[in-house]
Amino acid sequence: LVMVAPSVHVRATSRLLADMVPRGQIIVDAAKGIEEDTLMTMTQIMEEEIPGVNAAVLSGPSHAEEVGRKLPTSVVAGARDKETAQYIQDVFMNPVFRVYTSPDMLGIELGGAIKNVFALAAGIADGMGCGDNTKAALITRGIYELTRLGVAAGGKKETFQGLSGVGDLIVTCSSMHSRNRRAGILIGQGMSMEDAMEEVKMVVEGVYSARAAKGLAERYGVQVPIIDEVCSVLFEHKSARDALRDLMERERRDEERSNVWH
């Protein structure tokens, strides 16, 4: 089975499924999100609601509009055991849809959810009329922020450098197929978060993931300046221009603190 309900409905859908599926049933999550109240991932929710479920995840840079046109796409399947991951790989893999496997379910899900917040940021910058330099900076620092937060929350660094981290972040920050980027563009042009979501007419997962990502950062004591500013724009009526200015004028620092001056 494949779980493709929007992330905000995964718990309710799982409850409906609980009495319908046998123990050991493989359910592959394709929804990208973190539950705002509990900060749980989608597979964690399924495991809590469906007794004996064999929860797994399939994620990566895979806009449905292009998958449906059979344009080459690569994703990653995560599961609790290698046998399940390889089974999912065998089911889904074909000449235009390449599937890799990974044991890091948590990292895959965190990458797939949190990257939507940076897609909103990229869209906001586009809506403000910023250029390629701005987009490159947001993607690069977004990768850094995502990795730092994801590792603190229990994911593996290598996962965030892969398809569900760097890969998904690149595609969702640059493609007009991205609901999150499109909503961000409207916000950058002056529209409210509520009006932007209404205009896009689809679930904008990044809006829900933004508060959850901020909650995770607070739980693990991780600085996430881009996520913080996106939340301020979405929920505190801060202007996009003020948010961008505050990001650019943060205290000066080294790019990578692990590098040592000799």
Side-chain angles (χ1 to χ4, degrees):
L1 300 179
V2 184
M3 175 71 77
V4 293
S7 63
V8 292
H9 301 304
V10 165
R11 185 175 292 278
T13 306
S14 296
R15 286 176 181 165
L16 291 172
L17 285 172
D19 296 330
M20 300 181 187
V21 298
R23 296 185 70 87
Q25 173 69 52
I26 298 173
I27 302 183
V28 182
D29 173 62
K32 297 176 180 179
I34 303 167
E35 192 170 45
E36 189 175 323
D37 294 337
T38 66
L39 305 184
M40 294 172 70
T41 66
M42 300 300 102
T43 60
Q44 288 170 344
I45 292 170
M46 290 195 296
E47 288 171 340
E48 185 172 87
E49 296 290 345
I50 305 173
V53 69
N54 186 359
V57 60
L58 191 69
S59 192
S62 51
H63 286 310
E65 295 88 345
E66 296 186 1
V67 175
R69 291 166 55 203
K70 299 184 178 181
L71 300 178
T73 299
S74 291
V75 296
V76 58
R80 298 291 179 202
D81 60 85
K82 190 172 185 179
E83 180 182 1
T84 299
Q86 290 180 332
Y87 173 76
I88 294 167
Q89 185 180 46
D90 289 342
V91 166
F92 285 94
M93 193 154 161
N94 62 57
V96 294
F97 198 76
R98 183 169 179 80
V99 182
Y100 292 85
T101 60
S102 169
D104 186 18
M105 287 173 59
L106 178 60
I108 292 170
E109 291 189 271
L110 290 175
I114 298 171
K115 57 85 183 176
N116 285 328
V117 187
F118 301 112
L120 278 169
I124 290 169
D126 288 336
M128 293 169 62
C130 297
D132 295 337
N133 295 350
T134 314
K135 178 72 68 67
L138 273 171
I139 291 175
T140 305
R141 296 307 299 177
I143 291 167
Y144 185 82
E145 204 165 294
L146 168 63
T147 302
R148 190 168 51 189
L149 177 56
V151 169
K156 303 298 182 186
K157 182 178 181 180
E158 295 78 11
T159 301
F160 303 109
Q161 295 172 344
L163 290 165
S164 189
V166 172
D168 215 350
L169 188 62
I170 289 172
V171 77
T172 201
C173 286
S174 57
S175 173
M176 281 307 291
H177 293 315
S178 169
R179 292 165 285 176
N180 296 282
R181 178 174 173 244
R182 282 171 22 221
I185 289 171
L186 296 172
I187 293 169
Q189 292 171 343
M191 199 174 279
S192 69
M193 176 264 288
E194 293 83 3
D195 288 344
M197 290 180 70
E198 177 66 25
E199 180 71 20
V200 171
K201 291 183 170 56
M202 289 185 285
V203 175
V204 181
E205 299 280 14
V207 172
Y208 303 101
S209 295
R211 276 202 179 112
K214 187 177 176 69
L216 281 174
E218 291 170 353
R219 173 183 289 181
Y220 295 106
V222 178
Q223 289 188 345
V224 286
I226 299 174
I227 291 171
D228 286 342
E229 292 298 340
V230 169
C231 284
S232 294
V233 171
L234 291 178
F235 309 117
E236 298 170 16
H237 305 293
K238 186 173 185 176
S239 75
R241 294 203 175 277
D242 285 347
L244 178 59
R245 183 201 63 223
D246 288 346
L247 277 174
M248 294 299 291
E249 294 183 352
R250 292 176 67 237
E251 61 183 276
R252 61 187 70 186
R253 61 185 62 211
D254 293 335
E255 181 182 30
E256 175 51 67
R257 294 182 181 182
S258 63
N259 290 338
V260 178
W261 295 96
H262 295 291

